[in-house]
Amino acid sequence: GAFDLGAQSGRWAAFLERHGLSCEEAARLLLDAYEYRGLVKHTGGCHCGAIRFEVWASADLHVFNCNCSICTKKQNRHFIVPASRFKLLKGADNLTTYTFNTHRAQHTFCKTCGVQSFYTPRSNPDGYGIAPHCLDEGTVQTVVTEDINGKEWEKAVKEHKTIRDMSKP
């Protein structure tokens, strides 16, 4: 429904016209700017293009390099974001999931090309682990990589001061 913008009504109408936006598109821009201030919208996906996503995160990424059995085999380096900052744009029907051991981590990957561009980490089941090498070019400024001892997962997560909070908005 309509709402009263008061003294901002003229300014709002001029903004919509100048940028050729619908009210919904302009509202999305406003909400994104407010909710994600200090973050950038990264886009990315798998190799074949069947999976596409967007994620709001810093331009300066804090990436984990885990040495657990699956991360070692896949060379899974990832940064963690809250679920509210991730949106699957395309390919839900082309994802498949692998789990093992505790079955808490949801290792999702493309059925066509096999690339895992994101997954649900055991440490943050309320967020996503994003593979920085699956992001499109142009939005990442720096990458800091931190080794994490996934071979001793319980101990490593207990001792890590911030990992569990990385999926909190």
Side-chain angles (χ1 to χ4, degrees), residues 4-146:
D4 182 13
L5 294 173
Q8 300 303 313
S9 294
R11 192 170 160 218
W12 181 256
F15 178 81
L16 295 178
E17 185 177 334
R18 183 170 55 252
H19 295 287
L21 298 171
S22 69
C23 270
E24 182 179 351
E25 291 167 328
R28 183 179 301 121
L29 280 172
L30 178 64
L31 289 168
D32 285 350
Y34 181 76
E35 290 178 352
Y36 302 131
R37 62 182 169 254
L39 304 177
V40 298
K41 181 168 65 172
H42 303 280
T43 57
C46 66
H47 184 259
C48 72
I51 310 298
R52 295 292 300 160
F53 64 87
E54 68 182 32
V55 61
W56 287 88
S58 174
D60 303 305
L61 301 179
H62 181 132
V63 173
F64 290 101
N65 181 31
C66 180
N67 69 350
C68 77
S69 62
I70 194 164
C71 287
T72 297
K73 294 275 186 185
K74 294 188 310 177
Q75 295 295 294
N76 180 31
R77 291 173 187 86
H78 61 278
F79 62 97
I80 299 170
V81 297
S84 62
R85 293 188 187 153
F86 176 87
K87 182 178 180 183
L88 183 62
L89 301 173
K90 174 182 163 189
D93 58 336
N94 210 52
L95 286 172
T96 193
T97 303
Y98 172 71
T99 66
F100 70 101
N101 194 13
T102 66
H103 302 284
R104 290 199 55 193
Q106 303 290 306
H107 298 275
T108 51
F109 55 96
C110 176
K111 290 179 187 178
T112 305
C113 67
V115 169
Q116 176 182 292
S117 50
F118 64 89
Y119 80 112
T120 304
R122 180 178 170 193
S123 63
N124 296 79
D126 55 344
Y128 288 95
I130 311 297
H133 49 273
C134 289
L135 296 178
D136 299 335
E137 292 183 16
T139 54
V140 176
Q141 288 182 350
T142 63
V143 176
V144 173
T145 303
E146 177 184 359

